[in-house]
């Protein structure tokens, strides 16, 4: 069952935050989310997040782009209308292949880059006019926020978080 | 401190000995007279001397270039190397078999020389580019590679013996002991001579024997001077304790060397490689040679590092250092391919005859190595080393590296052989022994030099950073996630 209450612990330093995350994980509490104004190196490892598979999707998108480039150059230049343009050999795709390499390269990069970015947007749920989800505006400036769901253990969590150096601890209703 | 083991020493000396015997054998068995050459030609046309694949190559040449059947073994590649194309063609038409046999004789006599030269240039180039990469690391004040400095310095020790052999080679070439550089043929610049070549004569302000020899010696001296200076002062840095004065001196010397290197490297590639095809020219060539040697140099650094680490001689080197070397191997493999393709495609696209002959000779007579090279130097390393995890696994890097090194040897082979031996190429005793000979010298000089200095360059201000170098994305073996900072 989804917890109706969450605890918000604020930190003002990324090193303190990193140690706090490790302490909370050591006590086997689930960390719902951490909000940071900038990337904190090692935070994903400390939280135990699974590595991203974005690079793998990008590789497959690149192969898709390469295949499309090969198909297009072959269909247009060789199959559909094999004209003699400046003496270039249009008898088969391989004979004229060097001339197609620049477009093959560019389409590979184009597909790999753009589709990966779109994948990132979709997986991260980012789009124009999306309502911002930050629970406290200070997390975009100089504060770090750790969100932990509460299961009737408010006191224990509050004490633990105070010991980790939190500057402010709030218990809020999650809607 | 590292101890150069007796086993490795004997192994390297054995390689040198076996290689030297093979080289001597290949020189001894090279044909001496036109009659020998004729006999070899006769054997070739029956297909039992060189095997079927070679025959196929020869046949391919004929059909591609539309030579008449009477000029059986003619190839445009060798024409380019031998002198004026038109004159050569008509000479063949007039004299028929005799001039053809003489032509083949020159190619066959060039073979042991070329086999030696390919390996010589390959190993000289690798050591030189390790030196240049090392200088670049100093100038860039890189924080990751300090723990590898002594490995790179040890590899550059190989420059000294290979430079001496290069000097011997230059002396013998100038003394007309071989016919590798066709523009050195007597009479090339003499309008009254049969050998007169107006095109090459027009370049004689650059391509003349004294100029070539002096330039060659100057390149070698400049490279060796920097190598001698930086090795001495890098060791002095360890105990200097003079407020980084020695460090700054080494920095300044490296800046100057990189400037000198970029100029001498370009000129070296014109003199030693492009000069083999005196009718052909390319503006990209210096960079292309640089790229092929740089990839090989990085691979060799990775190999020696992985070996020494497995022997426990490099305690501060971790998986992230291997990962970075593999990234460089990957990146410069792509860079090589870019330059190779840029050179090939521009010439293929415009198809101007005086430029295209270069690739026609290579594509018709060297088709298999020419195409295999692209697979070995591009497709294979790109697919193997693309994955970040694979780049930190030594045996993956070794597999990728072996293919890269073989591929770039083939590249140097294809730069040199078509101009000197043309269709008479073969990968046999001559080529393998030259490789073994230089590999033996490489192992001996590298590991004895590594044993002579502290494996950790203690005086370098970036040493601590290098020892703690950690690429965030990879998990080091023998470490938990708690060790990450």
């Amino acid at each position: 069952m989804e917890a109706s209450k969450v605890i918000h612990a604020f930190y003002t330093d990324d090193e303190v935050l990193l140690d706090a995350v490790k302490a909370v994980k050591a006590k086997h509490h689930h960390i719902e989310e951490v909000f940071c104004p900038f990337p904190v190196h090692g935070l994903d490892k400390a939280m135990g997040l699974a590595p991203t598979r974005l690079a793998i999707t990008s590789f497959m998108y690149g192969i898709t782009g390469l295949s499309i480039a090969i198909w297009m150059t072959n269909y247009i230049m060789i199959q559909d209308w094999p004209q003699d343009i400046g003496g270039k050999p249009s008898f088969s795709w391989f004979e004229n292949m060097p001339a197609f390499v620049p477009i093959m390269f560019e389409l590979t990069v184009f597909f790999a880059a753009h589709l990966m970015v779109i994948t990132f947007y979709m997986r991260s749920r980012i789009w124009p006019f999306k309502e911002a989800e930050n629970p406290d505006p200070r997390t975009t400036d100089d504060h770090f926020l750790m969100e932990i769901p509460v299961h009737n253990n408010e006191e224990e969590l509050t004490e633990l978080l105070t010991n980790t150096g939190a500057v402010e601890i709030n218990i809020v209703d999650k809607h | 401190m590292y101890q150069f083991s007796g086993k490795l020493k004997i192994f390297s000396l054995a390689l040198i000995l076996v290689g030297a015997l093979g080289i001597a054998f290949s020189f001894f068995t090279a044909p001496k007279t036109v009659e020998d050459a004729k006999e070899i030609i006769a054997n070739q046309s029956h297909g039992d001397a060189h095997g079927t694949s070679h025959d196929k190559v020869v046949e391919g040449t004929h059909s591609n270039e539309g030579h008449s059947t009477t000029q059986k073994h003619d190839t445009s590649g060798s024409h380019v190397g031998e002198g004026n194309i038109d004159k050569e063609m008509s000479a063949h038409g007039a004299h028929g078999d005799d001039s053809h046999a003489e032509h083949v004789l020159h190619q066959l006599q060039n073979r042991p020389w070329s086999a030696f030269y390919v390996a010589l240039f390959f190993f000289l180039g690798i050591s030189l580019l390790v030196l240049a990469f090392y200088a670049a690391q100093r100038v860039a004040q890189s924080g990751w590679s300090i723990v590898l400095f002594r490995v790179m310095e040890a590899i550059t020790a190989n420059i000294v013996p290979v430079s001496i052999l290069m000097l011997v080679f230059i002396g013998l070439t100038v003394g007309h002991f071989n016919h590798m550089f066709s523009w050195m043929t007597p009479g090339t610049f003499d309008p009254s001579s049969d050998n007169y070549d107006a095109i090459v004569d027009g370049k004689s302000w650059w391509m003349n024997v004294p100029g070539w020899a002096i330039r060659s010696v100057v390149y070698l001296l400049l490279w060796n001077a920097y190598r001698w200076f930086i090795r001495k002062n890098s060791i002095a840095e360890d105990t200097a304790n003079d407020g980084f004065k020695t460090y700054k001196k080494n920095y300044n010397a490296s800046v100057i060397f990189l400037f000198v290197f970029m100029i001498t490297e370009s000129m070296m590639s014109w003199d030693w490689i492009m000069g083999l095809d005196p009718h052909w020219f390319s503006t990209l060539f210096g960079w292309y040679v640089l790229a092929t040697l740089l990839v090989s140099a990085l691979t060799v650094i990775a190999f020696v590092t992985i070996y020494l680490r497995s022997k426990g001689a490099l305690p501060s080197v971790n998986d992230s250092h291997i990962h970075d070397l593999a990234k460089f191997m990957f990146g410069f493999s792509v860079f090589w391919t870019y330059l190779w393709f840029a050179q090939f495609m521009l010439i293929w696209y415009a198809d101007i005859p005086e430029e295209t002959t270069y690739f026609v000779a290579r594509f018709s007579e060297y088709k298999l190595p020419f195409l295999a090279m692209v697979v070995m130097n591009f497709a294979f390393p790109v697919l193997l080393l693309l994955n970040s995890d694979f780049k930190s696994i030594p045996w993956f890097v070794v597999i990728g590296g072996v293919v890269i090194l073989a591929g770039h040897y083939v590249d140097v082979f294809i730069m040199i052989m078509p101009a000197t031996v043309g269709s008479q190429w073969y990968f046999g005793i001559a080529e393998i022994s030259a490789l073994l000979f230089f590999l033996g010298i490489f192992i001996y000089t590298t590991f004895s030099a590594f044993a002579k200095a502290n494996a950790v360059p203690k005086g370098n201000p970036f040493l601590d950073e290098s020892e703690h170098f950690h690429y965030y994305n990879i998990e080091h073996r023998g470490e938990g996630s708690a060790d990450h900072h």
Side-chain angles (χ1 to χ4, degrees):
Chain A
M1 199 190 99
E2 186 75 16
S4 59
K5 276 182 174 180
V6 290
I7 199 159
H8 281 171
F10 289 81
Y11 298 87
T12 51
D13 188 276
D14 50 337
E15 285 294 321
V16 177
L17 170 80
L18 216 48
D19 289 338
V21 167
K22 283 172 191 163
V24 172
K25 288 297 279 186
K27 294 276 182 203
H28 300 294
H29 292 295
H30 173 69
I31 298 173
E32 185 72 32
E33 196 67 83
V34 176
F35 295 88
C36 303
F38 54 78
V40 176
H41 278 283
L43 184 61
D44 52 340
K45 289 228 162 82
M47 287 173 72
L49 298 183
T52 175
R53 289 166 294 182
L54 213 50
I56 298 166
T57 66
S58 182
F59 181 73
M60 294 191 292
Y61 296 147
I63 289 176
T64 310
L66 181 64
S67 311
I68 288 176
I70 292 171
W71 174 78
M72 263 183 23
T73 49
N74 182 54
Y75 177 70
I76 297 169
M77 302 303 291
I78 309 297
Q79 304 299 330
D80 191 36
W81 196 357
Q83 290 186 99
D84 182 340
I85 304 168
K88 284 274 160 292
S90 52
F91 309 112
S92 74
W93 185 81
F94 276 103
E95 276 173 286
N96 210 3
M97 197 269 276
F100 304 143
V101 167
I103 197 70
M104 282 154 62
F105 171 77
E106 295 295 348
L107 277 186
T108 308
V109 175
F110 180 88
F111 274 68
H114 288 83
L115 291 182
M116 178 178 76
V117 167
I118 294 168
T119 307
F120 169 73
Y121 286 156
M122 288 167 69
R123 290 289 293 155
S124 312
R125 305 177 158 277
I126 304 175
W127 53 84
F129 312 113
K130 159 156 176 140
E131 210 173 316
E133 286 173 351
N134 58 319
D136 191 300
R138 285 175 294 170
T139 59
T140 63
D141 182 17
D142 59 349
H143 278 64
F144 303 84
L145 189 158
M146 194 195 307
E147 184 178 295
I148 302 167
V150 180
H151 300 281
N152 301 322
N153 52 356
E154 289 176 29
E155 270 113 80
E156 185 205 339
L157 270 176
T158 311
E159 197 196 333
L160 172 66
L161 292 169
T162 311
N163 288 338
T164 58
V167 292
E168 186 180 323
I169 295 167
N170 301 328
I171 293 162
V172 288
D173 287 319
K174 185 118 173 163
H175 17 260
Chain B
M1 213 149 134
Y2 175 73
Q3 187 84 36
F4 185 21
S5 71
K7 239 174 158 175
L8 197 60
K9 197 177 277 180
I10 289 166
F11 176 64
S12 64
L13 292 174
L15 282 178
I16 295 173
L17 188 69
V18 170
L21 286 174
I23 291 168
F25 173 79
S26 66
F27 274 99
F28 185 72
T29 50
K32 309 274 178 307
T33 62
V34 177
E35 276 64 44
D36 292 347
K38 277 184 179 162
E39 200 174 304
I40 290 168
I41 296 166
N43 283 337
Q44 269 176 1
S45 46
H46 293 119
D48 39 313
H50 280 246
T52 45
S53 69
H54 189 74
D55 260 12
K56 221 193 255 168
V57 171
V58 174
E59 278 163 25
T61 312
H62 299 166
S63 53
N64 280 352
E65 293 179 31
H67 281 205
S68 69
T69 41
T70 48
Q71 297 173 348
K72 245 192 164 175
H73 293 269
D74 283 347
T75 60
S76 78
S78 42
H79 288 150
V80 176
E82 291 292 320
N84 187 301
I85 294 172
D86 294 334
K87 195 183 61 187
E88 194 79 16
M89 299 268 272
S90 56
H92 279 283
H95 302 298
D97 266 5
D98 267 359
S99 88
H100 172 53
E102 202 183 313
H103 183 67
V104 172
L105 173 68
H106 283 307
Q107 295 185 331
L108 290 170
Q109 283 179 333
N110 270 340
R111 218 194 112 201
W113 286 97
S114 304
F116 185 76
Y117 188 54
V118 170
L120 173 69
F121 183 79
F122 190 53
F123 277 86
L124 176 62
I126 286 175
S127 311
L128 174 66
L129 262 293
V130 171
L131 189 66
F133 183 73
Y134 169 77
Q137 294 296 302
R138 276 195 177 273
V139 171
Q141 303 191 338
S142 71
W144 69 279
S145 55
I146 312 301
V147 293
L148 303 175
F149 270 16
R150 285 292 138 81
V151 176
M152 297 185 214
E153 283 169 21
I155 296 170
T156 60
N158 191 38
I159 282 190
V160 181
V162 181
S163 292
I164 292 167
L165 287 166
M166 188 73 194
L167 279 176
V168 172
F169 178 83
I170 290 163
L172 291 174
T173 306
V174 169
H176 292 295
F177 285 88
N178 64 52
H179 304 280
M180 291 193 45
F181 293 86
S182 63
W183 58 269
M184 288 185 190
T185 312
T188 304
F189 307 132
D190 177 8
S192 62
S193 164
D194 274 354
N195 289 329
Y196 181 66
D197 187 327
I199 294 173
V200 177
D201 192 26
K203 302 178 180 184
S204 60
W205 61 275
W206 178 270
M207 290 169 115
N208 53 74
V209 172
W212 184 83
I214 291 166
R215 282 194 305 272
S216 301
V217 173
V218 169
Y219 309 148
L220 293 170
L221 280 179
L222 287 170
W223 301 337
N224 277 284
Y226 171 73
R227 137 80 203 163
W228 175 80
F229 175 88
I230 203 73
R231 170 69 167 175
K232 191 174 68 118
N233 280 275
S234 174
I235 291 170
E237 211 175 88
D238 285 3
T239 50
N241 211 5
D242 53 1
F244 298 122
K245 248 183 160 157
T246 315
Y247 170 78
K248 282 172 190 157
K249 201 160 79 180
N250 292 345
Y251 175 90
N252 292 335
S254 304
V255 172
I256 295 165
F257 171 71
L258 281 181
F259 181 75
V260 170
F261 165 78
M262 287 316 295
I263 294 168
T264 51
E265 193 276 337
S266 284
M267 287 165 52
M268 165 275 270
S269 68
W270 307 334
D271 276 336
W272 293 350
I273 306 289
M274 206 153 74
L276 294 163
D277 290 293
H279 285 252
W280 183 77
F281 50 88
S282 161
T283 45
L284 197 69
F285 201 71
W287 282 101
Y288 173 58
V289 173
L290 177 95
T292 201
L293 296 176
L294 181 52
V295 185
S296 314
L298 288 160
T299 309
V300 167
I301 296 172
F303 276 12
V304 177
T305 304
I306 288 169
Y307 173 79
L308 286 172
R309 189 166 82 131
S310 74
K311 295 283 167 200
L314 289 169
S316 332
V317 172
N318 60 41
D319 287 350
S320 285
H321 295 107
I322 307 290
H323 189 275
D324 257 32
L325 283 172
K327 269 194 284 193
F328 268 111
M329 285 160 62
F330 174 85
F332 280 107
S333 285
V334 177
F335 179 67
W336 173 87
T337 315
Y338 166 62
L339 292 181
W340 174 82
F341 185 71
Q343 176 165 290
F344 172 76
M345 199 264 246
L346 288 185
I347 290 174
W348 173 85
Y349 208 102
D351 202 20
I352 301 170
E354 70 226 50
E355 291 178 352
T356 304
T357 47
Y358 183 83
F359 282 111
V360 168
R362 277 151 184 81
F363 205 74
S364 52
E365 291 160 11
Y366 292 74
K367 195 173 235 153
L368 178 70
F370 187 79
L371 294 175
M373 170 176 89
V374 184
V375 176
M376 292 162 86
N377 293 343
F378 175 64
F380 187 80
V382 161
L383 292 175
L384 190 79
L385 296 176
L386 190 61
N387 188 315
S388 190
D389 294 334
F390 291 176
K391 282 200 275 279
S392 62
I393 301 171
W395 63 270
F396 260 105
V397 179
V398 169
I399 290 174
V402 166
V403 175
I404 287 175
L405 277 183
H408 287 282
Y409 172 80
V410 173
D411 189 17
V412 175
F413 190 87
I414 290 176
M415 285 181 201
I416 292 172
M417 287 292 185
T420 55
V421 302
S423 59
Q424 304 299 322
W425 71 276
Y426 189 67
F427 189 77
I429 290 174
E431 286 78 9
I432 293 167
S433 352
L435 268 182
L436 294 182
F437 178 70
F438 282 102
L439 182 66
I441 293 178
F442 174 85
I443 292 173
Y444 188 86
T445 52
T446 300
F447 291 100
S448 59
F450 188 76
K452 278 183 192 128
N454 191 336
V456 182
K458 286 199 189 314
N460 196 297
F462 296 101
L463 178 64
D464 193 50
E465 185 180 335
S466 179
E467 282 175 335
H468 294 98
F469 174 60
H470 204 305
Y471 181 62
Y472 77 99
N473 212 11
I474 61 165
E475 211 69 62
H476 287 182
R477 272 155 302 149
E479 268 181 26
S481 60
D483 296 317
H484 289 277
H485 297 292

